[in-house]
Amino acid sequence: MSWQTYVDEHLMCEIDGNHLSSAAIVGHDGSIWAQSSNFPQFKQEEINAIMNDFAEPGSLAPTGLYLGGTKYMVIQGEPGYVIRGKKGSGGITIKKTNMALLIGIYDEPMAPSQCNMVVERLGDYLIDQGF
């Protein structure tokens, strides 16, 4: 299965009539493996800061998480595995696998828990597959 298929069929899937706004699978080095058509263009420094927070949990909390120039307030996650952020009525979930970051961005009416479930479930599957 191609990485684009994982984005299109798994990350952008419908949950109770809702979808993520955008999603991507990005290598630890910032390379884009696959993304939805409207995924924000990000800077390498933003991915570096996210990777640093996985290595040193809590490092993004004081400054916020930035992706594509959008600032998210960091909320509870799983140190070293999941970073969650909130911005207004939407937010972001980032799951780290052995080789990639799965990133899901949502807006209302999707609930944060729905975004978390979609991104983290696929991340767990990919980790089990060695990715």
Side-chain angles (χ1 to χ4, degrees), residues 29-50:
D29 62 357
S31 60
I32 297 170
W33 292 11
Q35 64 183 355
S36 61
S37 60
N38 58 343
F39 192 78
Q41 186 161 353
F42 56 83
K43 297 182 177 123
Q44 184 62 45
E45 305 86 64
E46 294 171 331
I47 297 299
N48 294 346
I50 290 166

Side-chain angles (χ1 to χ4, degrees), residues 78 82 84 93 95 116-124:
E78 296 172 35
V82 178
R84 298 183 186 114
T93 301
K95 171 78 176 188
N116 296 343
M117 182 180 70
V118 168
V119 174
E120 294 173 34
R121 187 172 54 191
L122 180 58
D124 290 340

Side-chain angles (χ1 to χ4, degrees), residues 19-74:
H19 297 84
L20 292 173
S21 304
S22 59
I25 301 174
V26 178
H28 289 178
D29 62 357
S31 60
I32 297 170
W33 292 11
Q35 64 183 355
S36 61
S37 60
N38 58 343
F39 192 78
Q41 186 161 353
F42 56 83
K43 297 182 177 123
Q44 184 62 45
E45 305 86 64
E46 294 171 331
I47 297 299
N48 294 346
I50 290 166
M51 288 301 296
N52 186 58
D53 192 80
F54 282 116
E56 298 173 30
S59 65
L60 285 176
T63 59
L65 181 160
Y66 287 86
L67 189 74
T70 300
K71 180 180 180 179
Y72 297 89
M73 178 179 67
V74 178

Side-chain angles (χ1 to χ4, degrees), residues 3 25-28 33 95-102 131:
W3 293 114
I25 301 174
V26 178
H28 289 178
W33 292 11
K95 171 78 176 188
K96 180 178 179 269
T97 71
N98 301 326
M99 300 168 67
L101 301 173
L102 278 66
F131 293 106

